[in-house]
């Protein structure tokens, strides 16, 4: 348990002290959302209607950018091999690394979303729901994404490939994330079921992600 | 020998090559005959009272969609065989099934789009079933892309197998989240994301909802295309085995050349 805690603390410290990593994702998120009205035109009614979708999709893209970081540096400098030999099972190591990614990317992006909602004229009533669904849904992004990060460690053009592998896996999260927000605005009865499904997807990915990522890491470290 | 299972028998590539070589012409001939008969039956079947002659697209569209899904299941099963049983032909099967399955999925998308134009007035709608087939196609692309971007072949094989198994676990969730789920006996009813497409009219708990004059040609066509799938898959597997043999022969030649070079240098 102490080893797990130490590893988590190390990964969080690395993410914070490296700098740039969190800021880049946030900056990318801001830019994508700010570019869209330039492309779509400044019609506030249109923007407020599509705001939840834009915020979710831009969040997926921003999180994708930083996914490859989950294992890459530790794989390159050999510390991942030490971790594989250590007392923690590799599944737990993968889970902790994905958790650190969620804490340093998923949460900041979700907290930035309402601010970007202002740019898109999002209904004030939707802000709480937006942040709630994103906090509940983003663990799936980190944990499913860790599978892609582990699979592409030794691939050429890893970054682009990662997007191709991982984006289809995010479809259920995206659909229920947006269903939850729009139902909270239109039909409150449907909000709780959508949120529960979103939670179930995140919990499921919490199980599947580390197992598959650890399998992929073992194959590459033999 | 007697207790060996079917899959164990063909763990020996030489035996597999002999058997599949003998089987190939029969399988190929049979699939041509069955597809020709199915198309004849299909095109002479009465046109639909609403959809008119466009119903004929169904005899290609529906089998292609089924085979697209079957191809992914085949890849997943082969991947399981590779990771768990380390069957020597499992990777050959998984690797060669991917482009074929992707091609059938694409065929289902294209025929569906051509059928959609007269029926829905547009080539593409963001309909639930079309969308889930499109995502299946993306999953195929992911498998092919991952394999082609890792040079070390055994490594690429195992990593692609992990991805295929992850995909097959998530695929039902994608399908349900896009298409919805309705099981009245369990009280489960999840609405579809968005739908125009008719629900499946063949596999239903209350029996097929399609007229027998159309159902029979459809099923024959499905059998024919399945035979075609396996013909192509078997042929591709044979090619892949030959390609690997050529590669290892070349590598052996290089090794020999290098060994003789070092002896010359030593002298």
């Amino acid at each position: 348990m102490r080893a797990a805690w130490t590893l988590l603390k190390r990964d969080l410290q690395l993410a914070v002290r490296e700098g740039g990593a969190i800021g880049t994702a946030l900056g990318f998120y801001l830019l994508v959302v700010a570019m869209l009205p330039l492309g779509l035109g400044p019609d506030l009614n249109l923007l407020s209607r599509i705001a939840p979708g834009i915020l979710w999709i831009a969040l997926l893209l921003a999180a994708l950018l930083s996914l490859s970081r989950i294992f890459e540096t530790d794989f390159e400098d050999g510390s991942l091999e030490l971790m594989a030999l250590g007392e923690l099972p590799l599944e737990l190591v993968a889970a902790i690394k994905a958790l650190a990614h969620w804490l340093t990317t998923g949460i900041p992006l979700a907290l930035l979303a309402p601010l970007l909602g202002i740019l898109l004229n999002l209904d004030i009533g939707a802000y709480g729901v937006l942040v709630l669904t994103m906090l509940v849904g983003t663990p799936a992004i980190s944990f499913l994404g860790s599978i892609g990060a582990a699979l592409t460690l030794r691939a050429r053009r890893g970054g682009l490939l990662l997007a191709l592998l991982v984006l289809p896996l995010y479809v259920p999260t995206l659909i229920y994330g947006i269903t939850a927000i729009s139902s909270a605005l239109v039909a409150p009865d449907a909000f709780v079921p959508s949120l529960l499904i979103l939670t179930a997807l995140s919990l499921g990915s919490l199980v599947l992600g580390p197992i598959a990522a650890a399998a992929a890491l073992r194959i590459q470290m033999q | 020998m007697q207790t060996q299972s079917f899959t164990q028998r063909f763990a020996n590539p030489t035996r597999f090559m002999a058997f599949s070589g003998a089987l190939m012409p029969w399988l190929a001939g049979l699939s041509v005959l069955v597809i020709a008969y199915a198309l004849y039956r299909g095109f002479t079947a009465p046109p639909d009272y609403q959809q008119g002659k466009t119903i004929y697209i169904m005899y290609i569209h529906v089998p292609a969609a089924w085979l697209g899904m079957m191809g992914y299941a085949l890849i997943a099963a082969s991947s399981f065989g590779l990771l768990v049983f380390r069957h020597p032909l499992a990777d050959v099967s998984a690797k060669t099934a991917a482009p074929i399955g992707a091609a059938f999925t694409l065929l289902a998308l294209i025929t569906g789009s051509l059928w959609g134009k007269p029926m829905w007035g547009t080539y593409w709608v963001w309909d639930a079933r079309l969308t889930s087939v499109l995502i299946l196609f993306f999953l195929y692309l992911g498998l092919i892309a991952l394999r082609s971007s890792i040079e070390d072949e055994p490594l690429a094989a195992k990593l692609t197998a992990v991805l295929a198994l992850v995909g097959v676990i998530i695929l039902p969730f994608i399908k349900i989240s896009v298409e919805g789920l309705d099981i009245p006996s369990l009280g489960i009813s999840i609405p579809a994301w968005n739908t125009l497409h008719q629900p499946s009219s063949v596999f239903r708990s209350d029996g097929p909802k399609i007229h027998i004059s159309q159902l029979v040609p459809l099923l024959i066509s499905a059998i024919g295309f399945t035979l075609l799938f396996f013909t192509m898959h078997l042929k591709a597997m044979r090619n892949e085995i030959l390609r690997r043999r050529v590669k290892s022969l070349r590598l052996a030649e290089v090794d020999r050349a290098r060994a003789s070079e070092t002896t010359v240098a030593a002298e």
Side-chain angles (χ1 to χ4, degrees), chain A residues 26 35 78 80-81 104 144 150 166 188:
Chain A
L26 292 177
M35 292 301 273
L80 199 60
E81 268 175 61
T104 57
L144 290 180
V166 164

Side-chain angles (χ1 to χ4, degrees), chain A:
Chain A
M1 204 56 223
R2 241 189 62 208
W5 179 240
T6 315
L7 181 60
L8 180 64
K9 226 167 74 186
R10 165 190 177 270
D11 275 14
L12 291 179
Q13 274 175 350
L14 272 177
V16 173
R17 291 189 189 158
E18 256 180 355
I22 303 174
T24 314
L26 292 177
F28 181 82
Y29 194 23
L30 174 67
L31 266 172
V32 170
V33 173
M35 292 301 273
L36 276 163
L38 298 181
L40 294 170
D43 178 0
L44 286 181
N45 289 328
L46 172 73
L47 289 178
S48 73
R49 197 159 50 82
I50 59 176
I54 289 182
L55 290 172
W56 258 103
I57 290 170
L59 181 138
L60 284 185
L61 297 178
L64 257 186
L65 274 186
S66 53
L67 276 181
S68 60
R69 243 179 349 112
I70 297 182
F71 299 113
E72 200 174 53
T73 45
D74 285 339
F75 181 71
E76 279 167 0
D77 67 13
S79 37
L80 199 60
E81 268 175 61
L82 278 181
M83 289 173 206
L85 294 171
E87 54 176 301
L88 287 179
L90 197 54
E91 280 79 7
L92 193 56
V93 172
I96 289 168
K97 291 196 156 293
L99 178 67
H101 179 263
W102 180 61
L103 292 173
T104 57
T105 311
I107 291 183
L109 287 174
L111 294 180
L112 183 65
L115 197 64
L116 302 183
I118 297 175
L119 292 180
L120 299 175
N121 195 29
L122 182 69
D123 188 349
I124 292 285
Y127 280 26
V129 186
L130 180 75
V131 176
L132 183 65
T133 54
M134 281 182 170
L135 286 178
V136 168
T138 41
I141 297 178
S142 295
F143 283 94
L144 290 180
S146 71
I147 304 175
L151 285 173
T152 52
L153 275 179
R154 286 181 50 184
R156 284 167 281 144
R157 302 177 301 274
L160 275 178
L161 180 64
L162 182 58
L164 185 63
L165 299 188
V166 164
L167 277 176
L169 307 183
Y170 290 160
V171 170
T173 303
L174 180 65
I175 288 182
Y176 283 106
I178 288 171
T179 312
I181 299 174
S182 50
S183 62
L185 294 176
V186 185
D189 288 352
F191 172 66
V192 174
S194 303
L195 191 70
L196 288 180
I197 294 176
L198 201 60
T199 317
L201 288 171
S202 284
L203 291 176
S205 67
L206 187 67
V207 177
L208 177 65
I211 294 176
L217 292 177
R218 272 202 197 96
I219 290 168
Q220 289 171 94
M221 288 193 294
Q222 272 165 5

Side-chain angles (χ1 to χ4, degrees), chain B residues 63-115:
Chain B
W66 283 345
L67 287 171
M69 289 186 267
M70 191 200 72
Y72 204 90
L74 182 66
I75 294 174
S78 304
S79 302
F80 189 77
L82 172 72
L83 291 179
V84 177
F85 303 115
R86 297 173 194 273
H87 193 285
L89 286 182
D91 175 49
V92 176
S93 161
K95 179 179 178 181
T96 52
I100 302 174
F104 273 106
T105 312
L106 187 62
L107 190 65
L109 285 172
I110 292 173
T111 51
S113 147
L114 292 177
W115 197 0

